[in-house]
Amino acid sequence: MTSNIAESLNAVTKDARELPIFDLIEYMRTLLERWTKEKLSKAKGTFHTLVTNTTKNWKTTVRASTDHIHTVLDGVKRYIVCLENKKCSCGQFQLDELPCAHALAALRHRNEIYENYCSPYYTRKSLLLTYEMPVNPLPDEGKRDVPQHILDE
């Protein structure tokens, strides 16, 4: 969705770009191996159900139209929140798949927990699955199974 990973790789491989191709690929493989291990360790240390911070305190007035539709007054602005469809007129709820400030106000008004209105992508389980597949080490150069036509080149 963004070019952040490409920018990160470009920044850390700046000096390695001068290496022969195999060494460059091995450098990048070990880099990704290290990053994956670090992220997995951090994810394993996460004990919250959700891995986000959506508990900011907002000063709003909430009026319920139905069990699921609420009008949220935030200063002079008015937002319509539909909890059943996980939508808010501000657009953030549907975009992030997390309750926006207005949806949070409606949920507090109903004494409901926000976790039920978040995408499963934000759960600890999903975070751990992201780093489940390892970046495997390569064997020594002499023990690699390289096809003959590649060796010939």
Side-chain angles (χ1 to χ4, degrees):
M1 294 177 72
T2 68
S3 62
N4 288 347
I5 187 67
E7 291 169 12
S8 295
L9 284 172
N10 281 335
V12 297
T13 61
K14 185 177 179 182
D15 296 331
R17 284 184 243 163
E18 304 299 322
L19 296 171
I21 188 69
F22 179 81
D23 294 334
L24 172 63
I25 291 171
E26 178 60 9
Y27 177 87
M28 292 180 73
R29 190 202 61 76
T30 57
L31 178 68
L32 291 174
E33 179 181 60
R34 182 172 45 92
W35 284 355
T36 300
K37 175 69 174 128
E38 288 170 3
K39 297 289 186 183
L40 180 60
S41 294
K42 188 173 183 178
K44 284 181 177 179
T46 302
F47 297 105
H48 299 285
T49 303
L50 292 172
V51 290
T52 183
N53 181 12
T54 57
T55 57
K56 293 181 181 176
N57 203 1
W58 299 91
K59 304 256 190 251
T60 56
T61 302
V62 180
R63 293 191 313 245
S65 299
T66 68
D67 283 344
H68 300 288
I69 298 174
H70 295 74
T71 301
V72 179
L73 302 172
D74 187 3
V76 295
K77 295 185 178 181
R78 179 178 310 162
Y79 299 92
I80 309 302
V81 175
C82 179
L83 295 174
E84 184 175 39
N85 297 331
K86 299 180 182 177
K87 291 185 178 182
C88 179
S89 59
C90 76
Q92 267 326 112
F93 197 177
Q94 358 0 341
L95 181 66
D96 295 338
E97 296 185 45
L98 286 171
C100 61
H102 318 109
L104 287 173
L107 289 167
R108 275 194 304 273
H109 182 75
R110 289 183 53 168
N111 290 321
E112 282 198 50
I113 57 172
Y114 71 93
E115 286 92 343
N116 297 335
Y117 294 86
C118 300
S119 168
Y121 295 122
Y122 295 101
T123 63
R124 180 178 188 268
K125 179 181 176 183
S126 290
L127 181 63
L128 289 170
L129 286 173
T130 302
Y131 303 106
E132 183 178 69
M133 186 177 290
V135 178
N136 292 316
L138 293 175
D140 286 336
E141 201 169 337
K143 295 184 179 185
R144 293 186 192 129
D145 186 20
V146 182
Q148 188 58 45
H149 70 279
I150 300 293
L151 289 172
D152 292 343
E153 289 184 24

